[in-house]
Amino acid sequence: MTQFPIHTLDTAPEASRPFIAGAKAAFGIVPNLVGEFAESPAVIEGYLALAGAYQKSGLTPLEREVVLIAASVENACHYCVAAHTTVTQGQKLDQTVIQAVRDGGPIADAKLEALRDFATRVVRERGWVSDADVNRLIAAGYTAGNVLEVVLGVGLKTISNYVNHIAETPVDAAFQANAFEPRRAA
């Protein structure tokens, strides 16, 4: 959409340029979503800070991606599912698990399935999960802290999923091999 340009280092507002440069250094490209975030220096800074905090959570890299992809599937975000699938391939994470999350589950590993299910419920219920939902996640081997970290991951994806919906972010060429067609419209 013309209201939401995909900025480059040259076109981004001055305050967004360090974040664009950091994304290019980290990924080798400036993902379209990051280019859109750059329209608002506050959004790009906030999103990347939240992403950095999420990386420090007690969840493993695979568990973090299960949460992010599950939230993106539930939010019907074609962009984030494709992008995160590509990221997981680069990280050499279990693609059987990733495909199950993309398909809406179930995951053969009971602990990861509990995590996928809980993340999906957090999105679907807008955080109003039941005590039984929380207890199932904890019984699967997670902690109360991990419950909160799922909320952090869902919050992170809510920002990017909603921006993608509003801005109609085109999927980068680097992510096209993992294109995702949501089961339902957002």
Side-chain angles (χ1 to χ4, degrees):
M1 297 179 86
T2 56
Q3 299 97 309
F4 303 98
I6 299 171
H7 286 287
T8 65
L9 191 55
D10 295 330
T11 65
E14 189 66 37
S16 293
R17 290 181 183 175
F19 302 106
I20 293 258
K24 184 161 173 96
F27 303 117
I29 64 168
V30 177
N32 289 338
L33 177 62
V34 173
E36 288 173 344
F37 282 162
E39 181 68 14
S40 169
V43 170
I44 194 170
E45 181 179 6
Y47 181 83
L48 293 175
L50 192 59
Y54 185 62
Q55 293 300 313
K56 296 174 185 173
S57 76
L59 299 171
T60 68
L62 180 58
E63 290 168 335
R64 289 192 304 265
E65 291 297 333
V66 165
V67 171
L68 298 177
I69 296 172
S72 297
V73 166
E74 186 63 23
N75 280 324
C77 185
H78 74 289
Y79 184 91
C80 286
V81 175
H84 280 278
T85 301
T86 303
V87 166
T88 67
Q89 290 167 340
Q91 294 176 329
K92 308 250 187 279
L93 299 179
D94 185 339
Q95 293 303 297
T96 304
V97 169
I98 300 306
Q99 190 59 51
V101 179
R102 285 174 57 106
D103 293 342
I107 301 170
D109 179 291
K111 184 177 181 185
L112 290 174
E113 174 55 18
L115 182 64
R116 183 208 61 79
D117 181 64
F118 184 75
T120 299
R121 288 175 187 275
V122 169
V123 174
R124 188 175 297 151
E125 303 301 326
R126 294 179 175 86
W128 292 102
V129 294
S130 69
D131 288 344
D133 293 330
V134 172
N135 291 336
R136 271 193 300 277
L137 187 65
I138 291 172
Y142 292 98
T143 67
N146 296 143
V147 170
L148 300 178
E149 291 164 347
V150 169
V151 175
L152 177 64
V154 168
L156 178 66
K157 281 298 96 184
T158 300
I159 293 168
S160 60
N161 295 167
Y162 287 11
V163 167
N164 288 320
H165 293 179
I166 292 166
E168 300 175 1
T169 311
V171 176
D172 302 78
F175 309 146
Q176 284 290 332
N178 295 305
F180 177 76
E181 186 63 35
R183 292 186 308 270
R184 60 178 170 76

